[in-house]
Amino acid sequence: MIPRLLLALLVLLVVAACGFALGGFTGVLLATNGALVAMLLQDVSRGQQLERWLRKGDPKADSDLTGMWGEFVARIRRGYKTRDQLAEQHQHRLKEFLEAIQASPNGVLLLDEDGRIEWCNQTAALHLGLDASRDRGQHIVNLVRNPAFTRYVSQGDYKSDVIMEGRSNSLSQLLKLQVQLHAYGDQKKLLLTRDVTARAQADQMRRDFVANVSHEIRTPLTVLAGFVETLQSLPLAPDEQHKYLDLMAIQASRMQGLVSDLLTLSQLEGSPPPPVTELVDLKPLMAQVKSDALALSALQGKDGQSMHSLAFQMPDHLHIAGSRAEIHSAVSNLVNNAVRYTPAGGHIEVTWVLTPEGQALFSVTDDGVGIAAEHLPRLSERFYRVDRSRSRESGGTGLGLAITKHIAQRHGGTFQVHSEVGVGSCFSLTIPENRIKCVTPDTRDVVLEDSHH
Ligand code: ADP
């Protein structure tokens, strides 16, 4: 500015001197006025040029302004650039922020002061059956037509959440949502949704389980209490007393069986999978299972003779790395079931085979009552029984297959059932290759060494 001012004064001085030389004081006045008007016109024209350039609004546009006006253009350009960079940074941050909210497993929805949707992430859209872009600007209560939700929104007290049904893609599974509103900003609201279906199912399962256990215990307990009352109130002959005591013993052992199965289940659930370091020799284990099965079968007859033909087959030296108690429990559950659900005279085949893939396949095949197809998927659920009275009569707790499946899975294996009503059933377990060892007396030390590493 200062050099330009000096220059202007210098020009005026020179012009004044020339004017004085040419026409005295009048010449000075005319010459300086003319020069001032010329300078003013030049600035007005440059000012207009700057205005035109500004109006384009494009900082990259060319401008041939120089000097002071050129400096204006350069500074405005720098201002534009800084503003654009800041805007870009904010845009980038906003994008990252929205991406983070999109990645959230919970639904996030922003409502304006009138309850209209401003923005929502995909999860919220999925939970509430919305279209994230199409439904923007719509009233949330018009779109989420759920009485519990409408009541929650209208009551205006958002300290607690509301549990409601959500929209799920699959019709077979109902979505349970936990929804809560939080006020923020100027009367705006943040709506959070969380899928609590698994938790609701677990709660339901726990309630069913407690109800089942109570029911299972109550039945023998009622019978037992009835017998106690009879013994207390009636003068019975000794043989009658014995009869009642025998019946009481049956009920007591039913309760014992139930409690023991429940304990087994809770132990299985609460402990880590069995280590691969313990080797279980299947030969003596199966011998034990066989003698127990023969005894159980004999109990069904009158003369102490086994009522079924039982065939056991397995390769020599087969060992499984796992828990002896668990494998015994899984295997004997299946064999005993075959005895209990096969009428007298039936055939039961129990085999262990090594598959070409290196797994061990254990199967129990019977020609007993069989199971209708609709029951098969639910057989290993706790307390699921096809024929309640038959199960109870033969001392069943309804937990055997649940325990067996659990044990198979803890050993990395699987549990399968094939069955047909009136034809028979085949229950099988597979144990994966990494838990199978063939240990002959000569290799025993080497294998045991190996399995300890
Ligand atoms: P339970 O103690 O009642 O036998 P399980 O869990 O062992 O309980 O078996 C569940 C149900 O599966 C039984 O109640 C029975 O109806 C059916 N079941 C199991 N094994 C057999 C089998 N070998 N043949 C026919 N039905 C079977």
Side-chain angles (χ1 to χ4, degrees), residues 39-164:
M39 279 194 272
L40 191 71
L41 284 176
Q42 194 195 25
D43 274 355
V44 167
S45 133
R46 287 181 177 173
Q48 274 180 337
Q49 252 178 288
L50 177 66
E51 195 195 359
R52 272 200 300 278
W53 180 81
L54 279 174
R55 229 183 262 144
K56 277 191 200 154
D58 175 11
K60 289 201 191 85
D62 277 340
S63 153
D64 40 18
L65 287 167
T66 54
M68 183 182 78
W69 296 96
E71 181 71 17
F72 284 164
V73 169
R75 277 173 191 249
I76 293 169
R77 231 181 220 152
R78 270 206 294 280
Y80 273 145
K81 210 167 154 191
T82 320
R83 185 204 61 183
D84 287 353
Q85 275 171 351
L86 267 177
E88 208 171 294
Q89 274 174 13
H90 287 152
Q91 197 67 31
H92 184 68
R93 214 173 283 169
L94 182 69
K95 196 170 148 250
E96 277 186 344
F97 197 64
L98 291 180
E99 274 171 4
I101 303 179
Q102 283 292 13
S104 157
N106 296 333
V108 180
L109 195 141
L110 305 181
L111 296 174
D112 70 9
E113 52 281 6
D114 296 324
R116 278 190 286 251
I117 300 169
E118 281 189 327
W119 183 86
C120 74
N121 68 355
Q122 273 309 321
T123 315
L126 216 70
H127 283 171
L128 301 170
L130 304 173
D131 184 314
S133 50
R134 193 195 57 207
D135 293 336
R136 206 166 283 179
Q138 300 286 327
H139 275 281
I140 185 81
V141 280
N142 290 345
L143 297 178
V144 181
R145 296 211 162 263
N146 180 298
F149 180 73
T150 315
R151 227 175 301 123
Y152 177 72
V153 174
S154 60
Q155 76 182 6
D157 175 15
Y158 309 133
K159 277 196 229 58
S160 57
D161 51 48
V162 63
I163 304 286
M164 57 180 256

Side-chain angles (χ1 to χ4, degrees), residues 394-411:
S394 58
T397 59
L399 295 172
L401 294 182
I403 292 174
T404 301
K405 185 176 176 182
H406 216 97
I407 293 172
Q409 287 172 342
R410 280 164 59 81
H411 284 77

Side-chain angles (χ1 to χ4, degrees), residues 71-287:
E71 181 71 17
F72 284 164
V73 169
R75 277 173 191 249
I76 293 169
R77 231 181 220 152
R78 270 206 294 280
Y80 273 145
K81 210 167 154 191
T82 320
R83 185 204 61 183
D84 287 353
Q85 275 171 351
L86 267 177
E88 208 171 294
Q89 274 174 13
H90 287 152
Q91 197 67 31
H92 184 68
R93 214 173 283 169
L94 182 69
K95 196 170 148 250
E96 277 186 344
F97 197 64
L98 291 180
E99 274 171 4
I101 303 179
Q102 283 292 13
S104 157
N106 296 333
V108 180
L109 195 141
L110 305 181
L111 296 174
D112 70 9
E113 52 281 6
D114 296 324
R116 278 190 286 251
I117 300 169
E118 281 189 327
W119 183 86
C120 74
N121 68 355
Q122 273 309 321
T123 315
L126 216 70
H127 283 171
L128 301 170
L130 304 173
D131 184 314
S133 50
R134 193 195 57 207
D135 293 336
R136 206 166 283 179
Q138 300 286 327
H139 275 281
I140 185 81
V141 280
N142 290 345
L143 297 178
V144 181
R145 296 211 162 263
N146 180 298
F149 180 73
T150 315
R151 227 175 301 123
Y152 177 72
V153 174
S154 60
Q155 76 182 6
D157 175 15
Y158 309 133
K159 277 196 229 58
S160 57
D161 51 48
V162 63
I163 304 286
M164 57 180 256
E165 258 154 40
R167 300 275 191 93
S168 164
N169 292 342
S170 93
L171 287 173
S172 60
Q173 201 205 3
L174 280 178
L175 204 61
K176 272 265 179 279
L177 290 182
Q178 182 186 35
V179 176
Q180 187 161 14
L181 278 165
H182 302 269
Y184 79 98
D186 190 12
Q187 300 208 320
K188 297 196 170 197
K189 284 176 210 88
L190 171 74
L191 185 128
L192 298 179
T193 64
R194 186 137 61 111
D195 182 352
V196 289
T197 316
R199 206 178 73 191
Q201 275 169 350
D203 284 349
Q204 186 58 44
M205 267 168 70
R206 205 196 58 233
R207 279 195 295 274
D208 289 351
F209 183 68
V210 171
N212 274 325
V213 171
S214 315
H215 177 75
E216 293 291 333
I217 295 209
R218 199 176 52 199
T219 316
L221 205 57
T222 314
V223 180
L224 210 56
F227 288 147
V228 170
E229 214 180 291
T230 313
L231 285 174
Q232 280 173 333
S233 55
L234 292 180
L236 295 173
D239 58 333
E240 266 182 318
Q241 271 185 14
H242 269 295
K243 203 179 86 192
Y244 276 110
L245 287 172
D246 284 349
L247 289 170
M248 285 165 75
I250 292 174
Q251 299 303 325
S253 90
R254 228 177 107 181
M255 289 204 294
Q256 261 171 348
L258 181 67
V259 170
S260 131
D261 275 1
L262 284 170
L263 280 175
T264 308
L265 257 184
S266 89
Q267 266 161 12
L268 292 177
E269 276 170 357
S271 59
V276 285
T277 45
E278 187 194 342
L279 274 188
V280 182
D281 188 350
L282 288 181
K283 259 266 138 67
L285 186 143
M286 290 313 292

Side-chain angles (χ1 to χ4, degrees), residues 261 333-334 337-342 366 368-371 379-381 383-388 391-392 394-403 419 424-425 427:
D261 275 1
N333 275 344
L334 297 186
N337 274 356
V339 174
R340 289 165 50 220
Y341 297 104
T342 302
D366 64 53
V369 293
I371 304 159
L379 272 195
S380 57
E381 281 177 23
F383 297 113
Y384 190 85
R385 290 147 160 144
V386 178
D387 180 346
R388 265 176 193 275
S391 157
R392 292 223 174 92
S394 58
T397 59
L399 295 172
L401 294 182
I403 292 174
S419 190
S425 314
F427 286 80

